Amino acid sequence: MKRIDAIIRPSRLPFVREALEELGYGGITVAEVKGHGKQRGLTEQWRGREYKVEYLSKVWILLVVNDADLDKVVTTIVESARTGEIGDGKLFVADILDVVRVRTGERGNAAV
């Protein structure tokens, strides 16, 4: 099993969620987060004054997938989240040693 942490633009969340549901991965965890990558935020103008926005709003998606589905899920997230502009986000993939469904006590792939 693999854990996928995806940091994407909030505006792309509906597209990613819909694409994941079509793959059978409707169970995801989503949180609103703030941060920046290499671009170190934005410089904007408001009422004639320049100000720096250091931390940009992003959405963090967390899901656990079976090893066999990893490439398909990663490709789906990347294609659904991509705008082609700086700040589209990042995906992180890590190994999961075990999963336990609290309600039933099921473990491993059955709990995903």
Side-chain angles (χ1 to χ4, degrees), residues 22-110:
E22 288 176 11
L23 285 180
Y25 281 95
I28 62 173
T29 300
V30 177
E32 294 178 15
V33 296
K34 291 186 178 279
H36 64 74
K38 289 182 181 178
Q39 82 271 20
R40 301 281 185 225
L42 297 172
T43 302
E44 296 198 2
Q45 286 205 340
W46 187 67
R47 292 189 176 182
R49 293 193 138 169
E50 245 183 39
Y51 67 99
K52 186 162 174 106
V53 178
E54 287 189 48
Y55 301 107
L56 306 174
S57 293
K58 299 290 181 181
V59 174
W60 172 41
I61 300 172
L62 177 134
L63 68 154
V64 176
V65 301
N66 295 315
D67 289 334
D69 295 337
L70 178 64
D71 290 335
K72 182 171 43 173
V73 172
V74 167
T75 300
T76 298
I77 294 171
V78 169
E79 289 175 356
S80 302
R82 179 183 291 141
T83 67
E85 310 236 341
I86 293 173
D88 275 349
K90 294 246 183 351
L91 267 71
F92 305 95
V93 179
D95 287 321
I96 294 292
L97 300 177
D98 199 7
V99 176
V100 179
R101 187 183 312 259
V102 173
R103 179 176 51 89
T104 62
E106 293 172 290
R107 297 182 83 115
N109 287 336

Side-chain angles (χ1 to χ4, degrees), residues 6-23:
I7 309 293
I8 64 167
R9 295 173 185 267
S11 62
R12 302 307 297 173
L13 178 60
F15 303 104
V16 172
R17 185 187 53 78
E18 184 178 316
L20 288 172
E21 283 180 359
E22 288 176 11
L23 285 180

